[in-house]
């Protein structure tokens, strides 16, 4: 029973993310520049104010770039990188900075978060309506230097 | 106030533009926004580094190519179950990356043909096919281009499996790749026991193994895969638990700006005891043998 619930939940999640699959390759790949994709592309569909978060492993000795991209309708994404203790390493503060180049002192997992900005509609009613209507794909893509 | 401190920290971070070493300590901040926990499995996929990344790292650490570590050539026509195909595809994908990184053209070509044949068996021939082989052949003397083609191809394979709801196969692809990667790394380490850098890569798998088990145990497999692959993989935890982690620098929030690049803290070392490496090699060898004798 537990297994069935897990699988059912997973299927729902993967289907929800399915419509944005391929978004990274079309829209984000160029942001990697000279870095080769690790194949680790994390994509989701977000509404204003929602957050997509994932964890990835980074090896000591490798040089990495994490690049993000999103549908224009969502505006500039708030992009943060934290360590496994949830301590902040990087924050773009919702500015246009959409990539971060780094290496790690020792192999570790990092938590990458993408937060869609809240809608700036003037009235509460408009904001609620817009929030219902607007959604878009967001992706984070990881590359390493050859 | 906290936010101001962070903001100042990052102003410093982005204004750094020299090769001198600077240390920036970032204020610790709680992440206030509720974490969306609905993408746990999708997340685990990305916590397991790709075979390409691991084999590049291995080569950087200096060991010579060892053909003996490649998976033996087998008759692919006898494999009918999709889960078995996916597992083997993962194994041979790691071998393909290993041979390619070391510029072993004969082995690369042979492995590529096997990978294409296997891909056909699980309906992936639209992703990897003779056209892929032609592109690689045309770039056979350009290692960087080959790496990009192969990296892109495996990206497509992963995407295709997930788009078609074949998540069990995607998980087995990753699992097979990891088993063969650890076999190669530990095999190289046994061959050259003085190479500390390879030891470190193997120790790093302590982190990866945990994620792999979370992924691999989330799906239902046939009894052969369960008994001969998943169960022994879970048991590997006992071996990885023997490796002690020692923090050399406990300041996890340290960021060093050096040579125009940020280095994220902290320094830890893994303490292998005598025999740990051989034990890992022996256990992973057993699982790999199971693929040969019980699965195929």
């Amino acid at each position: 029973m537990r297994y069935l619930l897990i699988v059912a939940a997973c299927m729902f999640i993967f289907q929800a993310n399915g419509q944005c699959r391929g978004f990274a390759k079309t829209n984000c790949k160029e942001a990697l520049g000279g870095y080769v994709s690790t194949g680790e592309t994390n994509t989701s569909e977000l509404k204003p104010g929602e957050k997509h978060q994932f964890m990835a492993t980074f090896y000591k000795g490798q040089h990495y770039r994490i690049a993000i991209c999103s549908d224009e309708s969502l505006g500039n994404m708030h992009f943060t990188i934290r360590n496994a203790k949830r301590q902040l390493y990087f924050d773009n503060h919702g500015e246009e900075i959409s990539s971060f180049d780094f290496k790690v002192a020792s192999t570790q997992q990092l938590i990458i978060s993408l937060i869609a900005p809240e809608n700036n509609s003037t009235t509460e009613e408009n904001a609620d309506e817009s929030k219902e209507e607007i959604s878009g794909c967001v992706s984070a893509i990881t590359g390493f230097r050859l | 106030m906290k936010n101001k401190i962070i903001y100042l920290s990052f102003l410093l971070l982005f204004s750094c533009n020299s090769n001198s070493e600077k240390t920036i300590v970032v204020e610790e901040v709680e992440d206030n926004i509720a974490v969306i926990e609905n993408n746990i499995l999708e997340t685990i996929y990305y916590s397991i580094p790709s075979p390409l990344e691991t084999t590049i790292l291995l080569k950087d650490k200096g060991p010579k190519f060892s053909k003996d570590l490649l998976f033996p050539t087998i008759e692919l026509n006898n494999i009918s179950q999709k889960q078995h195909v996916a597992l083997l595809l993962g194994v041979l994908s790691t071998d393909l990356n290993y041979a390619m990184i070391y510029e072993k053209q004969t082995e690369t070509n042979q492995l590529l043909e096997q990978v294409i044949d296997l891909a056909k068996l699980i309906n992936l021939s639209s992703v990897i096919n003779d056209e892929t082989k032609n592109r690689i052949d045309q770039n056979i003397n350009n290692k960087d281009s080959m790496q990009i083609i192969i990296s892109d191809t495996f990206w497509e394979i992963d995407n295709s499996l997930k788009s078609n709801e074949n998540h069990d196969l995607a998980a087995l692809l990753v699992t097979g790749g990891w088993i063969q990667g650890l076999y190669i790394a530990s095999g190289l380490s046994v061959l050259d026991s003085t190479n500390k850098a390879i030891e470190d890569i193997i120790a790093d798998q302590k982190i990866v193994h945990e994620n792999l088990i979370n992924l691999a145990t989330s799906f239902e497999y046939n009894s052969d895969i369960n008994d001969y692959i998943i169960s022994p993989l879970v048991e590997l935890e006992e071996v990885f638990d023997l490796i002690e982690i020692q923090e050399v620098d406990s300041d996890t929030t340290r960021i060093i700006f050096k040579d125009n690049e940020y280095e994220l803290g902290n320094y830890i070392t893994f303490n292998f005891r005598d025999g740990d490496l051989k034990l890992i090699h022996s256990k992973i060898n057993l699982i790999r043998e199971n693929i040969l004798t019980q699965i195929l």
Side-chain angles (χ1 to χ4, degrees), chain A residues 11 35 46 60 65 69 90-91 98 103 108 115 118 126 130 138:
Chain A
M11 292 304 115
Y35 290 73
L46 293 187
K60 178 188 174 186
R65 169 174 293 181
C69 61
F90 169 79
D91 189 339
S98 59
K103 58 184 177 180
Q108 60 185 289
I115 305 156
E118 290 286 355
N126 283 346
S130 302
V138 297

Side-chain angles (χ1 to χ4, degrees), chain A residues 29 31 68 80:
Chain A
K29 206 179 163 197
I68 62 160
T80 63

